[in-house]
Amino acid sequence: MADHLEASVTLPSEPASVSAARTYVLSTLAEWGLQPTTDAAETVRLIVSELATNAVQHTFGQSPTFTVDIELDRDEQLRIGVTDSHPRFPKRLPAAVQQDNGRGMVIIRWLAAESGGRLRVRPTREGGKTVSIELPWTVPAEPVTAAGQQEP
């Protein structure tokens, strides 16, 4: 496999884009060798769902789109970032018993740590932010055929 692979998609900041972001990331990672039925794929699915949901819900209409970037470096590290143009960084909210939301970043941080990775939030030059996760890549480097079977 190549030393560096990357892919990116920009989506409108609307609820239907959360599913589109998940589908895009998981299909790209399947092309790169991650089988969709693995625990790692489920972890990525949940992380992307939370990141995309945050980009849609917490930008309050100030970010008309968000971008999902995927990078794989030397078959060692996977990075998935979601960038929006809203300047406010995510805040850790207290987990009140009656609270219906606000736990997404806690979930993302926990999943990243459980997988041996980390969560980062960085400002963009344009005044927005990128929330990203970096995870170790533990997928075999053999290419995947169209039928989803690894080549010998």
Side-chain angles (χ1 to χ4, degrees):
M1 190 173 270
D3 280 348
H4 182 82
L5 296 171
E6 54 184 64
S8 180
V9 65
T10 298
L11 299 164
S13 290
E14 55 190 42
S17 294
V18 174
S19 176
R22 271 193 317 263
T23 299
Y24 178 79
V25 169
L26 291 173
S27 64
T28 299
L29 294 181
E31 290 175 17
W32 296 351
L34 181 64
Q35 296 299 316
T37 57
T38 63
D39 287 343
E42 287 300 318
T43 296
V44 168
R45 178 179 287 118
L46 183 53
I47 288 171
V48 171
S49 290
E50 293 295 335
L51 289 174
T53 297
N54 285 352
V56 170
Q57 287 185 347
H58 299 294
T59 58
F60 306 106
Q62 294 181 20
S63 182
T65 63
F66 66 94
T67 300
V68 180
D69 294 302
I70 314 164
E71 297 178 26
L72 177 60
D73 286 318
R74 293 180 195 85
D75 291 331
E76 295 174 4
Q77 180 176 302
L78 173 67
R79 182 187 158 279
I80 300 172
V82 173
T83 302
D84 64 56
S85 57
H86 192 278
R88 190 180 76 198
F89 275 40
K91 294 182 182 176
R92 194 181 285 188
L93 300 175
V97 175
Q98 301 296 323
Q99 189 174 326
D100 291 334
N101 61 17
R103 294 182 182 91
M105 292 302 289
V106 172
I107 292 168
I108 295 165
R109 184 174 281 110
W110 184 83
L111 288 168
E114 182 183 62
S115 300
R118 66 182 179 163
L119 171 73
R120 294 179 58 183
V121 182
R122 297 180 319 263
T124 64
R125 281 181 252 200
E126 298 78 23
K129 67 189 161 300
T130 299
V131 181
S132 62
I133 54 117
E134 296 170 357
L135 301 171
W137 182 258
T138 57
V139 176
E142 292 86 20
V144 175
T145 65
Q149 301 295 317
Q150 290 186 340
E151 295 178 358

